[in-house]
Amino acid sequence: DAKTTQPTSMDCAEGRAANLPCNHSTISGNEYVYWYRQIHSQGPQYIIHGLKNNETNEMASLIITEDRKSSTLILPHATLRDTAVYYCIVRTSGDSNYQLIWGAGTKLIIKP
Amino acid sequence: EAGVVQSPRYKIIEKKQPVAFWCNPISGHNTLYWYLQNLGQGPELLIRYENEEAVDDSQLPKDRFSAERLKGVDSTLKIQPAELGDSAVYLCASSPRRGGSSYNEQFFGPGTRLTVL
């Protein structure tokens, strides 16, 4: 079973920041949070990951709460091409045989 | 840089027929994954290879599914015989090296959409 909870769908206006929440209240101390997205008819694409600290790259920012029970993915200036399903994933612990357990994700629709 | 290549992109077969999917990972990537994705759901891992060794096939239904990765490069996933419930998208992904303390992102191919009639 997925270890994360996400809203089923969200809308965001083009040019605005899209904030996608994720709940992972049962996360363990050494488990990372990952975000992928999947544009229609394509394979998933890696966005960002983090453990404790907030992270930023050219695609997005990841804000993890201090208790690590939830996080938010931020797309600072959403475009129509950001319309996709966004997956928040917690990596199972154990370096030698880790897995990504995927949930159903959040369908983000960017509106003009 | 070429991405993960999968073929065919689409396949329609009748139940009880065999089917095979092919994957060519990104050059130099040692780890290869096969996932199954049902409509409206996230991917589910079927098998993971480190080079030519299948290191995690616990989710692979071995009565009808098989996979191979000869020479540790290309891989083939086979279903024989196919059932109606096998209709799904089959995704292949690769990453540069086996999992360790630092994460290696997975690069996905476009998938093969299988329809079993």
Side-chain angles (χ1 to χ4, degrees):
Chain A
D1 292 335
K3 299 179 69 172
T4 62
T5 304
Q6 299 177 254
T8 302
S9 64
M10 293 180 61
D11 293 347
C12 179
E14 186 179 18
R16 304 296 295 269
N19 297 284
L20 292 93
C22 179
N23 180 286
H24 33 79
S25 58
T26 60
I27 194 170
S28 300
N30 60 347
E31 292 182 322
Y32 284 73
V33 179
Y34 300 95
W35 285 84
Y36 277 74
R37 74 179 183 184
Q38 187 171 22
I39 296 171
H40 183 62
S41 295
Q42 297 183 21
Q45 175 192 25
Y46 167 81
I47 301 173
I48 199 167
H49 75 282
L51 181 63
K52 297 180 181 179
N53 300 320
N54 298 336
E55 303 288 344
T56 296
N57 63 21
E58 65 278 4
M59 290 183 68
S61 295
L62 174 61
I63 308 299
I64 302 175
T65 57
E66 191 168 344
D67 63 8
R68 304 210 324 120
K69 293 185 177 181
S70 65
S71 60
T72 301
L73 180 75
I74 301 173
L75 307 178
H77 305 287
T79 70
L80 298 179
R81 286 177 294 183
D82 291 322
T83 292
V85 177
Y86 287 76
Y87 295 97
C88 171
I89 305 157
V90 169
R91 188 184 88 173
T92 59
S93 57
D95 289 340
S96 63
N97 194 25
Y98 71 90
Q99 275 197 47
L100 300 179
I101 309 298
W102 303 66
T106 296
K107 184 174 178 59
L108 176 67
I109 299 174
I110 306 300
K111 297 187 173 182
Chain B
E1 179 182 273
V4 176
V5 179
Q6 291 188 248
S7 69
R9 288 296 313 277
Y10 304 91
K11 188 72 175 179
I12 300 174
I13 60 172
E14 294 187 348
K15 63 181 181 182
K16 300 184 181 180
Q17 294 299 307
V19 64
F21 314 121
W22 175 79
C23 173
N24 179 239
I26 293 173
S27 177
H29 282 195
N30 298 331
T31 307
L32 184 145
Y33 313 79
W34 282 103
Y35 287 90
L36 176 155
Q37 186 173 28
N38 288 306
L39 187 65
Q41 299 182 26
E44 302 171 36
L45 181 69
L46 290 172
I47 190 169
R48 175 168 68 97
Y49 282 93
E50 298 291 346
N51 299 305
E52 65 275 11
E53 181 184 1
V55 296
D56 184 0
D57 63 356
S58 58
Q59 306 300 316
L60 188 73
K62 298 181 182 65
D63 57 336
R64 298 183 300 107
F65 286 65
S66 64
E68 61 181 12
R69 191 184 184 198
L70 300 177
K71 301 181 181 179
V73 182
D74 294 0
S75 179
T76 302
L77 178 68
K78 298 179 181 178
I79 309 174
Q80 183 171 12
E83 297 178 352
L84 295 177
D86 296 331
S87 294
V89 175
Y90 291 82
L91 293 162
C92 179
S94 68
S95 60
R97 62 178 173 85
R98 66 180 301 163
S101 58
S102 60
Y103 173 71
N104 295 291
E105 68 177 278
Q106 296 180 25
F107 295 81
F108 284 81
T112 296
R113 181 175 296 278
L114 174 67
T115 301
V116 182
L117 303 176

